[in-house]
Amino acid sequence: MADAERPVSMKQADQLVELGKQSSRYANPNPDRVNCPSDHTLRAMAVRSKDLSLAHAPIAHVANCSPCYQQYCRYREEEIQRLRRRYAALAIWAAAAIIVAVLIGRNVLRSPAGDSKPTIVDRQPSQEKKKGPAAERSQPQLLALDLRHISPSRGEDEPARNSSDVILPARPLKLEVVLPVASPAGSYKLGIFNDAHTLLNSSQGTATLEQGVTKLSVSIDLSGLKSGSHLVGVRTTLSDWMFAPVTIR
């Protein structure tokens, strides 16, 4: 029963196509369209919809009904053309990202070696600091974190790098993050990890591109984390984590 409720897999859909190819497109006429599935069902099969379970996929009927098979083929060809247009758009987006990287690359190459570490700037308003320690720690502290020079991790087993002089206070924070060079605008996740790459806390936000620099604003509460060496990581839904060492106090 559980197998019957699984979505139609790519392999099963491809088997349908092979069955159709083995028989003539016109070998099984059904002029009265007896027991034919709806257009919606045929289209769902053609686009590999996860909403169509194996129990409701009329594979045997389509393989033995020339009108249904022809209609399925038309829907499948439309889906293939749609996917090709989507991949072409992604290729254009990737080319645009490369152009952005080239435009700002000169500034990156001119940066001195000492700038390769992430940097952080305290942007806490002075009037908040005058209210005393208790009032100050109850409000998120505004910090600017520069991660322009970090790169994607080589994997979860990559050892943590040496401790950093970048310090994050163990309290609620509002971070203004400058993302790595050539990072596209869009949705990002920022996380705090221990040295074993275990995620301890995370937050999400939307990055924007401003004068060739990608900036992300997120709020995250580090109040419950232990003091010591940690990693800060950023990623999109389609990329690997990029890590930088930080110290929490």
Side-chain angles (χ1 to χ4, degrees):
M1 186 66 179
D3 290 342
E5 293 300 325
R6 289 184 305 173
V8 177
S9 68
M10 182 74 73
K11 180 178 179 181
Q12 291 164 336
D14 288 340
Q15 288 174 345
L16 169 62
V17 176
E18 290 302 320
L19 285 172
K21 290 180 179 179
Q22 291 172 8
S23 63
S24 169
R25 186 179 292 262
Y26 304 101
N28 301 293
N30 186 7
D32 297 327
R33 305 303 297 269
V34 177
N35 296 326
C36 289
S38 66
D39 289 352
H40 176 79
T41 300
L42 291 174
R43 187 179 293 276
M45 292 177 63
V47 301
R48 312 294 198 254
S49 173
K50 294 182 179 180
D51 295 331
L52 182 64
S53 66
L54 181 60
H56 297 92
I59 297 177
H61 175 88
V62 173
N64 293 279
C65 176
S66 292
C68 285
Y69 176 70
Q70 293 171 20
Q71 193 168 358
Y72 166 84
C73 288
R74 287 195 298 272
Y75 289 149
R76 185 60 193 158
E77 181 60 28
E78 290 175 0
E79 176 66 6
I80 291 173
Q81 294 300 324
R82 186 189 69 82
L83 292 175
R84 286 175 179 171
R85 290 191 296 269
R86 179 183 177 187
Y87 294 148
L90 289 175
I92 293 173
W93 175 87
I98 293 173
I99 292 173
V100 171
V102 171
L103 291 176
I104 65 177
R106 269 177 275 175
N107 292 333
V108 175
L109 292 176
R110 290 174 183 173
S111 299
D115 291 340
S116 61
K117 295 181 180 180
T119 58
I120 193 162
V121 177
D122 187 352
R123 297 191 184 277
Q124 186 75 351
S126 57
Q127 57 268 30
E128 290 293 335
K129 297 180 180 180
K130 294 178 181 178
K131 295 179 181 179
E136 181 182 343
R137 293 189 67 84
S138 66
Q139 298 294 326
Q141 184 174 351
L142 183 60
L143 296 176
L145 180 60
D146 190 344
L147 301 178
R148 274 178 290 190
H149 303 287
I150 67 174
S151 58
S153 167
R154 294 187 297 272
E156 294 296 328
D157 296 330
E158 181 184 9
R161 286 169 281 180
N162 294 333
S163 62
S164 170
D165 56 359
V166 175
I167 298 174
L168 294 177
R171 56 168 295 172
L173 299 176
K174 184 173 179 60
L175 295 177
E176 294 179 351
V177 185
V178 179
L179 293 174
V181 174
S183 295
S187 179
Y188 279 81
K189 186 174 184 179
L190 181 142
I192 301 296
F193 299 76
N194 61 19
D195 288 343
H197 288 82
T198 300
L199 181 63
L200 305 178
N201 202 348
S202 66
S203 182
Q204 289 184 316
T206 301
T208 57
L209 190 62
E210 303 175 11
Q211 298 180 346
V213 178
T214 310
K215 297 182 179 181
L216 171 69
S217 180
V218 294
S219 297
I220 189 168
D221 190 356
L222 306 185
S223 301
L225 300 186
K226 295 182 179 179
S227 298
S229 298
H230 290 75
L231 296 170
V232 58
V234 291
R235 65 168 296 180
T236 67
T237 56
L238 300 177
S239 69
D240 295 326
W241 283 104
M242 293 176 282
F243 294 105
V246 295
T247 299
I248 295 179
R249 290 183 184 173

